[in-house]
mmCIF file of all heavy atoms in Angstrom:
data_model
loop_
_atom_site.group_PDB
_atom_site.id
_atom_site.type_symbol
_atom_site.label_atom_id
_atom_site.label_comp_id
_atom_site.label_asym_id
_atom_site.label_seq_id
_atom_site.Cartn_x
_atom_site.Cartn_y
_atom_site.Cartn_z
ATOM 1 N N GLY Y 404 13.201 -1.766 6.965
ATOM 2 C CA GLY Y 404 11.859 -1.533 7.495
ATOM 3 C C GLY Y 404 11.433 -2.503 8.592
ATOM 4 O O GLY Y 404 12.345 -3.353 9.029
ATOM 5 N N GLY Y 405 10.328 -2.253 9.124
ATOM 6 C CA GLY Y 405 9.786 -3.066 10.189
ATOM 7 C C GLY Y 405 9.948 -2.362 11.535
ATOM 8 O O GLY Y 405 10.468 -1.220 11.564
ATOM 9 N N CYS Y 406 9.756 -3.104 12.525
ATOM 10 C CA CYS Y 406 9.807 -2.691 13.877
ATOM 11 C C CYS Y 406 10.785 -3.406 14.808
ATOM 12 O O CYS Y 406 10.639 -3.546 16.014
ATOM 13 C CB CYS Y 406 8.407 -2.691 14.619
ATOM 14 S SG CYS Y 406 7.106 -1.783 13.691
ATOM 15 N N GLY Y 407 11.766 -3.957 14.066
ATOM 16 C CA GLY Y 407 12.830 -4.777 14.762
ATOM 17 C C GLY Y 407 13.065 -6.117 14.200
ATOM 18 O O GLY Y 407 14.180 -6.729 14.335
ATOM 19 N N GLU Y 408 11.981 -6.606 13.427
ATOM 20 C CA GLU Y 408 12.128 -7.961 12.842
ATOM 21 C C GLU Y 408 12.242 -7.884 11.339
ATOM 22 O O GLU Y 408 12.142 -8.956 10.687
ATOM 23 C CB GLU Y 408 10.947 -8.787 13.197
ATOM 24 C CG GLU Y 408 10.628 -8.982 14.701
ATOM 25 C CD GLU Y 408 9.312 -9.649 14.806
ATOM 26 O OE1 GLU Y 408 9.233 -10.942 14.791
ATOM 27 O OE2 GLU Y 408 8.292 -8.963 15.012
ATOM 28 N N GLY Y 409 12.442 -6.740 10.790
ATOM 29 C CA GLY Y 409 12.370 -6.681 9.224
ATOM 30 C C GLY Y 409 10.966 -6.401 8.883
ATOM 31 O O GLY Y 409 9.968 -6.549 9.614
ATOM 32 N N PRO Y 410 10.700 -5.964 7.480
ATOM 33 C CA PRO Y 410 9.375 -5.724 7.043
ATOM 34 C C PRO Y 410 8.486 -6.946 6.781
ATOM 35 O O PRO Y 410 8.975 -8.014 6.495
ATOM 36 C CB PRO Y 410 9.623 -5.056 5.736
ATOM 37 C CG PRO Y 410 10.873 -5.580 5.247
ATOM 38 C CD PRO Y 410 11.698 -5.907 6.423
ATOM 39 N N ASP Y 411 7.184 -6.874 7.281
ATOM 40 C CA ASP Y 411 6.237 -8.014 6.999
ATOM 41 C C ASP Y 411 5.680 -8.024 5.600
ATOM 42 O O ASP Y 411 5.923 -7.139 4.841
ATOM 43 C CB ASP Y 411 5.121 -7.976 8.066
ATOM 44 C CG ASP Y 411 4.311 -6.792 8.041
ATOM 45 O OD1 ASP Y 411 4.548 -5.997 7.089
ATOM 46 O OD2 ASP Y 411 3.370 -6.635 8.887
ATOM 47 N N ASP Y 412 4.915 -9.146 5.318
ATOM 48 C CA ASP Y 412 4.267 -9.240 3.937
ATOM 49 C C ASP Y 412 3.369 -8.147 3.642
ATOM 50 O O ASP Y 412 3.275 -7.663 2.523
ATOM 51 C CB ASP Y 412 3.393 -10.498 3.945
ATOM 52 C CG ASP Y 412 4.347 -11.818 3.973
ATOM 53 O OD1 ASP Y 412 5.590 -11.592 3.809
ATOM 54 O OD2 ASP Y 412 3.917 -12.865 4.269
ATOM 55 N N PHE Y 413 2.591 -7.607 4.703
ATOM 56 C CA PHE Y 413 1.631 -6.511 4.531
ATOM 57 C C PHE Y 413 2.357 -5.242 3.921
ATOM 58 O O PHE Y 413 1.873 -4.694 2.965
ATOM 59 C CB PHE Y 413 0.967 -6.182 5.847
ATOM 60 C CG PHE Y 413 0.018 -5.115 5.833
ATOM 61 C CD1 PHE Y 413 -1.362 -5.443 5.621
ATOM 62 C CD2 PHE Y 413 0.269 -3.730 6.155
ATOM 63 C CE1 PHE Y 413 -2.404 -4.450 5.632
ATOM 64 C CE2 PHE Y 413 -0.696 -2.811 6.085
ATOM 65 C CZ PHE Y 413 -2.045 -3.092 5.874
ATOM 66 N N SER Y 414 3.447 -4.952 4.473
ATOM 67 C CA SER Y 414 4.308 -3.749 3.999
ATOM 68 C C SER Y 414 4.943 -3.890 2.705
ATOM 69 O O SER Y 414 5.163 -3.012 1.949
ATOM 70 C CB SER Y 414 5.272 -3.351 5.104
ATOM 71 O OG SER Y 414 6.412 -4.303 5.161
ATOM 72 N N GLN Y 415 5.202 -5.254 2.353
ATOM 73 C CA GLN Y 415 5.907 -5.415 1.083
ATOM 74 C C GLN Y 415 4.903 -5.652 -0.042
ATOM 75 O O GLN Y 415 5.177 -5.656 -1.307
ATOM 76 C CB GLN Y 415 6.786 -6.814 1.151
ATOM 77 C CG GLN Y 415 7.821 -6.674 2.100
ATOM 78 C CD GLN Y 415 8.570 -8.002 2.263
ATOM 79 O OE1 GLN Y 415 9.007 -8.604 1.369
ATOM 80 N NE2 GLN Y 415 8.663 -8.473 3.530
ATOM 81 N N SER Y 416 3.569 -5.648 0.253
ATOM 82 C CA SER Y 416 2.562 -5.987 -0.729
ATOM 83 C C SER Y 416 2.279 -4.854 -1.749
ATOM 84 O O SER Y 416 2.394 -3.709 -1.340
ATOM 85 C CB SER Y 416 1.260 -6.285 0.062
ATOM 86 O OG SER Y 416 0.171 -6.216 -0.863
ATOM 87 N N TRP Y 417 1.906 -5.190 -2.908
ATOM 88 C CA TRP Y 417 1.510 -4.209 -3.970
ATOM 89 C C TRP Y 417 0.345 -3.392 -3.594
ATOM 90 O O TRP Y 417 0.073 -2.308 -4.019
ATOM 91 C CB TRP Y 417 1.227 -4.945 -5.314
ATOM 92 C CG TRP Y 417 -0.003 -5.931 -5.147
ATOM 93 C CD1 TRP Y 417 0.108 -7.248 -4.777
ATOM 94 C CD2 TRP Y 417 -1.370 -5.672 -5.325
ATOM 95 N NE1 TRP Y 417 -1.163 -7.828 -4.731
ATOM 96 C CE2 TRP Y 417 -2.138 -6.880 -5.032
ATOM 97 C CE3 TRP Y 417 -2.108 -4.548 -5.685
ATOM 98 C CZ2 TRP Y 417 -3.437 -6.930 -5.152
ATOM 99 C CZ3 TRP Y 417 -3.478 -4.677 -5.769
ATOM 100 C CH2 TRP Y 417 -4.140 -5.895 -5.464
ATOM 101 N N GLU Y 418 -0.423 -3.913 -2.519
ATOM 102 C CA GLU Y 418 -1.624 -3.335 -2.082
ATOM 103 C C GLU Y 418 -1.281 -1.981 -1.433
ATOM 104 O O GLU Y 418 -2.181 -0.995 -1.521
ATOM 105 C CB GLU Y 418 -2.425 -4.209 -1.122
ATOM 106 C CG GLU Y 418 -2.839 -5.527 -1.833
ATOM 107 C CD GLU Y 418 -3.563 -6.392 -0.860
ATOM 108 O OE1 GLU Y 418 -4.724 -5.974 -0.490
ATOM 109 O OE2 GLU Y 418 -3.115 -7.374 -0.460
ATOM 110 N N ARG Y 419 -0.120 -1.756 -0.932
ATOM 111 C CA ARG Y 419 0.266 -0.388 -0.326
ATOM 112 C C ARG Y 419 0.223 0.614 -1.350
ATOM 113 O O ARG Y 419 -0.198 1.672 -1.312
ATOM 114 C CB ARG Y 419 1.568 -0.450 0.391
ATOM 115 C CG ARG Y 419 1.803 -1.550 1.428
ATOM 116 C CD ARG Y 419 0.977 -1.334 2.769
ATOM 117 N NE ARG Y 419 -0.438 -1.242 2.619
ATOM 118 C CZ ARG Y 419 -1.142 -2.461 2.463
ATOM 119 N NH1 ARG Y 419 -0.627 -3.618 2.458
ATOM 120 N NH2 ARG Y 419 -2.523 -2.213 2.444
ATOM 121 N N LEU Y 420 0.861 0.304 -2.527
ATOM 122 C CA LEU Y 420 0.924 1.237 -3.728
ATOM 123 C C LEU Y 420 -0.474 1.405 -4.345
ATOM 124 O O LEU Y 420 -0.756 2.494 -4.717
ATOM 125 C CB LEU Y 420 1.873 0.734 -4.803
ATOM 126 C CG LEU Y 420 2.066 1.609 -6.007
ATOM 127 C CD1 LEU Y 420 2.667 2.942 -5.573
ATOM 128 C CD2 LEU Y 420 3.026 0.934 -7.038
ATOM 129 N N HIS Y 421 -1.275 0.363 -4.359
ATOM 130 C CA HIS Y 421 -2.627 0.468 -4.895
ATOM 131 C C HIS Y 421 -3.435 1.490 -4.069
ATOM 132 O O HIS Y 421 -4.173 2.274 -4.640
ATOM 133 C CB HIS Y 421 -3.243 -0.934 -4.842
ATOM 134 C CG HIS Y 421 -4.672 -0.923 -5.143
ATOM 135 N ND1 HIS Y 421 -5.295 -0.630 -6.354
ATOM 136 C CD2 HIS Y 421 -5.807 -0.971 -4.297
ATOM 137 C CE1 HIS Y 421 -6.644 -0.602 -6.323
ATOM 138 N NE2 HIS Y 421 -6.961 -0.890 -5.052
ATOM 139 N N GLU Y 422 -3.259 1.363 -2.663
ATOM 140 C CA GLU Y 422 -3.980 2.371 -1.850
ATOM 141 C C GLU Y 422 -3.512 3.798 -2.217
ATOM 142 O O GLU Y 422 -4.202 4.713 -2.297
ATOM 143 C CB GLU Y 422 -3.673 2.129 -0.392
ATOM 144 C CG GLU Y 422 -4.514 0.764 0.095
ATOM 145 C CD GLU Y 422 -4.704 0.839 1.612
ATOM 146 O OE1 GLU Y 422 -4.581 1.832 2.375
ATOM 147 O OE2 GLU Y 422 -4.968 -0.289 2.168
ATOM 148 N N LEU Y 423 -2.172 3.913 -2.286
ATOM 149 C CA LEU Y 423 -1.656 5.246 -2.565
ATOM 150 C C LEU Y 423 -2.276 5.885 -3.931
ATOM 151 O O LEU Y 423 -2.803 6.963 -3.893
ATOM 152 C CB LEU Y 423 -0.169 5.153 -2.716
ATOM 153 C CG LEU Y 423 0.651 6.483 -2.945
ATOM 154 C CD1 LEU Y 423 2.112 6.295 -2.378
ATOM 155 C CD2 LEU Y 423 0.695 6.822 -4.480
ATOM 156 N N GLN Y 424 -2.265 4.963 -4.973
ATOM 157 C CA GLN Y 424 -2.753 5.486 -6.289
ATOM 158 C C GLN Y 424 -4.186 5.731 -6.225
ATOM 159 O O GLN Y 424 -4.772 6.660 -6.899
ATOM 160 C CB GLN Y 424 -2.389 4.380 -7.281
ATOM 161 C CG GLN Y 424 -0.823 4.402 -7.554
ATOM 162 C CD GLN Y 424 -0.471 3.104 -8.414
ATOM 163 O OE1 GLN Y 424 -1.088 2.068 -8.373
ATOM 164 N NE2 GLN Y 424 0.644 3.182 -9.060
ATOM 165 N N THR Y 425 -5.029 5.041 -5.512
ATOM 166 C CA THR Y 425 -6.482 5.295 -5.361
ATOM 167 C C THR Y 425 -6.819 6.561 -4.594
ATOM 168 O O THR Y 425 -7.600 7.259 -5.039
ATOM 169 C CB THR Y 425 -7.127 4.061 -4.646
ATOM 170 O OG1 THR Y 425 -6.784 2.812 -5.337
ATOM 171 C CG2 THR Y 425 -8.584 4.251 -4.710
ATOM 172 N N LEU Y 426 -6.084 6.709 -3.539
ATOM 173 C CA LEU Y 426 -6.328 7.834 -2.690
ATOM 174 C C LEU Y 426 -6.002 9.200 -3.367
ATOM 175 O O LEU Y 426 -6.716 10.197 -3.163
ATOM 176 C CB LEU Y 426 -5.519 7.727 -1.390
ATOM 177 C CG LEU Y 426 -6.045 6.728 -0.353
ATOM 178 C CD1 LEU Y 426 -4.924 6.503 0.668
ATOM 179 C CD2 LEU Y 426 -7.291 7.168 0.330
ATOM 180 N N ILE Y 427 -5.029 9.201 -4.320
ATOM 181 C CA ILE Y 427 -4.717 10.535 -4.984
ATOM 182 C C ILE Y 427 -5.552 10.805 -6.235
ATOM 183 O O ILE Y 427 -5.312 11.799 -6.856
ATOM 184 C CB ILE Y 427 -3.225 10.553 -5.214
ATOM 185 C CG1 ILE Y 427 -2.767 9.557 -6.213
ATOM 186 C CG2 ILE Y 427 -2.335 10.577 -3.944
ATOM 187 C CD1 ILE Y 427 -1.243 9.635 -6.754
ATOM 188 N N LYS Y 428 -6.388 9.857 -6.531
ATOM 189 C CA LYS Y 428 -7.228 10.079 -7.757
ATOM 190 C C LYS Y 428 -8.140 11.309 -7.654
ATOM 191 O O LYS Y 428 -8.807 11.492 -6.645
ATOM 192 C CB LYS Y 428 -8.168 8.821 -7.979
ATOM 193 C CG LYS Y 428 -7.406 7.662 -8.533
ATOM 194 C CD LYS Y 428 -8.255 6.541 -9.017
ATOM 195 C CE LYS Y 428 -7.354 5.539 -9.743
ATOM 196 N NZ LYS Y 428 -8.104 4.250 -10.027
ATOM 197 N N PRO Y 429 -8.080 12.165 -8.738
ATOM 198 C CA PRO Y 429 -8.887 13.407 -8.730
ATOM 199 C C PRO Y 429 -10.359 13.210 -8.490
ATOM 200 O O PRO Y 429 -11.049 14.049 -7.892
ATOM 201 C CB PRO Y 429 -8.588 14.017 -10.154
ATOM 202 C CG PRO Y 429 -7.365 13.419 -10.576
ATOM 203 C CD PRO Y 429 -7.367 11.972 -9.939
ATOM 204 N N GLU Y 430 -10.895 11.983 -8.985
ATOM 205 C CA GLU Y 430 -12.421 11.800 -8.858
ATOM 206 C C GLU Y 430 -12.754 11.651 -7.427
ATOM 207 O O GLU Y 430 -13.954 11.928 -7.055
ATOM 208 C CB GLU Y 430 -12.963 10.696 -9.786
ATOM 209 C CG GLU Y 430 -12.247 9.372 -9.552
ATOM 210 C CD GLU Y 430 -11.187 9.101 -10.620
ATOM 211 O OE1 GLU Y 430 -10.319 10.045 -10.918
ATOM 212 O OE2 GLU Y 430 -11.118 7.918 -11.187
ATOM 213 N N LEU Y 431 -11.789 11.151 -6.556
ATOM 214 C CA LEU Y 431 -12.140 11.047 -5.104
ATOM 215 C C LEU Y 431 -12.119 12.312 -4.465
ATOM 216 O O LEU Y 431 -13.075 12.724 -3.687
ATOM 217 C CB LEU Y 431 -11.065 10.124 -4.461
ATOM 218 C CG LEU Y 431 -11.353 9.647 -2.989
ATOM 219 C CD1 LEU Y 431 -12.795 8.970 -2.834
ATOM 220 C CD2 LEU Y 431 -10.239 8.800 -2.429
#
């Protein structure tokens, strides 16, 4: 991953999965 230097902390964070799980919630 990444853009030439490998993946950064932002992309490795659990927060990426948290956003995914929130966005697909039926109540949204």
Side-chain angles (χ1 to χ4, degrees):
C406 301
E408 304 171 84
D411 62 4
D412 292 345
F413 183 87
S414 70
Q415 294 173 55
S416 166
W417 62 271
E418 296 180 72
R419 306 288 64 77
L420 183 60
H421 170 72
E422 289 201 18
L423 183 155
Q424 290 167 338
T425 305
L426 289 165
I427 63 174
K428 284 190 173 170
E430 57 262 45
L431 191 55

